[in-house]
Amino acid sequence: MAASAVPALTSNGFTPATTRVLEWPEPVQRVQELAESGIKSLPPRYIKPEEERKPTYETVSKAELPPVVDLSGIEEGDVQQLSVLSCACREWGVFQVGNHGIPSERLKSVMRVSRGFFDLPMAEKLKYANNPVTYEGYGSRLGVQKGIPLDWNDYYFHLLRPISATNGQQKWPRQPTEYRRVISEYGEMVMGLCKRLLSIFSRDLKLEEEGSLLERLGGESGLEASYRMNYYPKCPQPELALGLSPHTDPGAMTVLLQDVPGLQVQRDGLWFSVPPVEGALVVILGDQLEIVSNGIYNSVNHRTTVNREKERMSMVVFVNPLADKKIGPLETLVKRSSGFPLYQEMSFNEYRKFIRTLGIQGKAILASIANANPQNI
C-alpha cells in the first residue's frame, strides 16, 4: 500500500515544515494472531516502561469510583443527580450514564457484530489493513515512532459522521452482514445522547443558551463522529503490558461500551478502575471540552489493562468538533475561571494531526497548547 504525504510538524506541534511520508515504521504484527500462537512470554516490544504500569489503586468503596448518573433523572429536574454529574466532569473527567434511552438489546447487538469482525479469518481482516494517515480500517498500532513499546490490542476504526466522509461506508467491514446497519443506527443513537449531554453541560456551566457548547463545537449538523472497536486478547504476562497506553481523547467526548473490566482512569496520580455496569455507558470527556470550558471540565488520562484469563472488547464512539472549526475557550468561561484563556485556539484537524504523528502521549499534547499565565510572565 502506498504511503500518503502529509505536512510534517515542527517542534511546536502545528506549524507545517517540509512534506514527509507517513507510513508504519516496522512490519505490523497482529496481536490476536500472536496471542493465538500459544506464546508463553511477552515479546520485548510489548513490555511497557515501569512508570506506565503503575499499579491500580485498590478502592474500598463506591465513593472512590467515577459515579454512575441517572440521565433521565437529570432531565426530569433531579438536582442531586445534576450535582453528581457536575462534580464528575470537574474532578474525574469521566462518569457512567444509566437510563440513557438506548435499549440493552441494541447494546448487545453492537457487541455481537463488533466481536464478529475479529472472529473472521485473518486473510479477510487483512483486506481492511489501515495506514497512519487516517487510521481508517484494521490496525494494531498507533503513532509512527520507530521502536516504541506497543499496546496489546488490535482495533478497527472508521468514520460515522458526516455521512459524506464515509464514502458510502467503503471503509466499513462488510462482515458480519448486520454490521453496517447495527453500527450506523447505534452511532445515531449515541449522537443523540451526546447532544442531550452537551445541553446538560451547558446548563451546569450556567451558559445563557443550553445549546452553547453544541454551537461552539460545530452545531447540530456539524458534530463529527467515528467508531473504534478494540480487541484485547489474553496476555501471557499482563503485569508487563497494557492494552492501551495512558492517553486523553482528543475530541469532545467519548462514549464507551465494555464487556469485562480493564478501563482505568487517573486521578491525583493514582489509577482507578471503571468496572462495567449493566446497561450503562462510560462517558469520557475529551480535550476539546477541557479547552472550550477553559479547564473547568477535565479531560481524563486513561488506559486499558489486559489479563491472562479473559479476552476483552470495547466499542467506542468518538464525538468530535467540526474538523476545520477553530476551537478555543468560551469567553464567558474565561472570565468566570482563570481570567485568561488557558489554551490556544486551533482547529480540531490541526490538533489531531499532531496526535497521529506522535501517537499516545497522555496529557502532554494538551499541555503543549497551553498558554502561559500572564501573571507569571
Side-chain angles (χ1 to χ4, degrees):
M1 181 181 294
S4 302
V6 297
L9 300 167
T10 60
S11 58
N12 68 7
F14 302 100
T15 306
T18 58
T19 297
R20 66 182 182 85
V21 170
L22 270 186
E23 56 187 358
W24 300 126
E26 298 137 338
V28 176
Q29 171 72 61
R30 304 300 169 180
V31 178
Q32 182 178 8
E33 194 171 48
L34 190 60
E36 291 175 354
S37 71
I39 60 170
K40 302 300 183 184
S41 60
L42 198 66
R45 66 189 307 196
Y46 294 96
I47 298 176
K48 290 291 185 176
E50 189 173 352
E51 61 272 16
E52 287 188 22
R53 296 185 272 118
K54 288 180 181 177
T56 308
Y57 177 68
E58 296 297 330
T59 55
V60 295
S61 73
K62 288 185 178 179
E64 294 180 304
L65 294 174
V68 181
V69 300
D70 179 351
L71 185 60
S72 65
I74 293 174
E75 291 177 327
E76 291 168 5
D78 188 324
V79 176
Q80 183 179 3
Q81 282 293 303
L82 179 59
S83 176
V84 171
L85 177 67
S86 178
C87 289
C89 291
R90 289 164 165 78
E91 297 174 10
W92 283 100
V94 61
F95 57 90
Q96 300 205 58
V97 58
N99 289 331
H100 43 64
I102 301 177
S104 59
E105 288 305 312
R106 173 63 63 181
L107 300 182
K108 292 175 183 176
S109 296
V110 168
M111 203 169 289
R112 185 184 69 253
V113 299
S114 297
R115 175 55 200 255
F117 173 80
F118 292 100
D119 287 339
L120 295 173
M122 183 58 68
E124 180 66 21
K125 293 196 285 278
L126 288 175
K127 294 177 182 179
Y128 303 94
N130 69 354
N131 65 58
V133 177
T134 67
Y135 284 98
E136 287 183 90
Y138 176 49
S140 299
R141 67 172 294 158
L142 296 171
V144 293
Q145 291 175 297
K146 189 172 182 178
I148 59 172
L150 300 179
D151 293 330
W152 189 258
N153 86 82
D154 294 329
Y155 64 87
Y156 199 110
F157 173 82
H158 63 76
L159 302 178
L160 291 172
R161 289 181 56 156
I163 301 298
S164 58
T166 69
N167 295 317
Q169 301 179 345
Q170 289 182 19
K171 295 282 188 178
W172 295 33
R174 295 186 179 277
Q175 298 292 332
T177 54
E178 293 180 280
Y179 180 91
R180 295 185 174 191
R181 176 185 61 81
V182 169
I183 300 305
S184 180
E185 292 172 358
Y186 177 64
E188 288 306 304
M189 291 178 181
V190 171
M191 291 302 293
L193 169 61
C194 289
K195 289 173 184 177
R196 292 159 65 196
L197 286 170
L198 286 172
S199 177
I200 293 169
F201 295 163
S202 293
R203 192 194 331 164
D204 174 55
L205 292 167
K206 296 180 173 57
L207 299 173
E208 291 183 6
E209 298 291 337
E210 289 190 7
S212 295
L213 285 178
L214 178 60
E215 292 306 314
R216 186 69 167 188
L217 296 170
E220 184 76 24
S221 60
L223 280 183
E224 300 185 357
S226 54
Y227 182 72
R228 175 170 159 150
M229 47 184 176
N230 299 302
Y231 175 67
Y232 304 96
K234 296 176 185 177
C235 182
Q237 293 179 290
E239 69 280 2
L240 299 178
L242 285 172
L244 205 54
S245 298
H247 66 288
T248 60
D249 290 337
M253 73 177 94
T254 300
V255 177
L256 180 145
L257 172 65
Q258 56 179 339
D259 57 357
V260 300
L263 174 65
Q264 298 183 340
V265 298
Q266 191 174 42
R267 182 180 178 186
D268 299 329
L270 301 174
W271 288 100
F272 295 81
S273 293
V274 185
V277 173
E278 183 70 28
L281 293 165
V282 181
V283 178
I284 298 171
L285 304 193
D287 292 345
Q288 302 306 307
L289 272 183
E290 179 163 336
I291 291 168
V292 86
S293 70
N294 205 44
I296 296 174
Y297 280 3
N298 174 46
S299 75
V300 66
N301 208 23
H302 53 288
R303 70 182 186 183
T304 300
T305 59
V306 290
N307 68 72
R308 187 177 281 104
E309 291 79 27
K310 290 184 178 180
E311 304 165 315
R312 180 176 182 270
M313 286 282 300
S314 67
M315 286 58 63
V316 186
V317 176
F318 300 101
V319 178
N320 303 322
L322 187 64
D324 57 0
K325 182 178 175 63
K326 293 287 186 180
I327 303 293
L330 280 166
E331 186 175 348
T332 300
L333 299 180
V334 169
K335 292 177 180 177
R336 200 182 301 158
S337 53
S338 62
F340 70 95
L342 294 177
Y343 300 106
Q344 302 171 38
E345 183 180 78
M346 66 181 56
S347 74
F348 183 59
N349 257 349
E350 292 174 303
Y351 191 72
R352 62 183 165 189
K353 276 181 184 177
F354 192 28
I355 292 172
R356 285 172 177 168
T357 302
L358 296 181
I360 290 174
Q361 299 283 334
K363 292 203 78 162
I365 292 178
L366 184 60
S368 73
I369 67 162
N371 288 318
N373 186 336
Q375 295 179 355
N376 297 333
I377 296 177

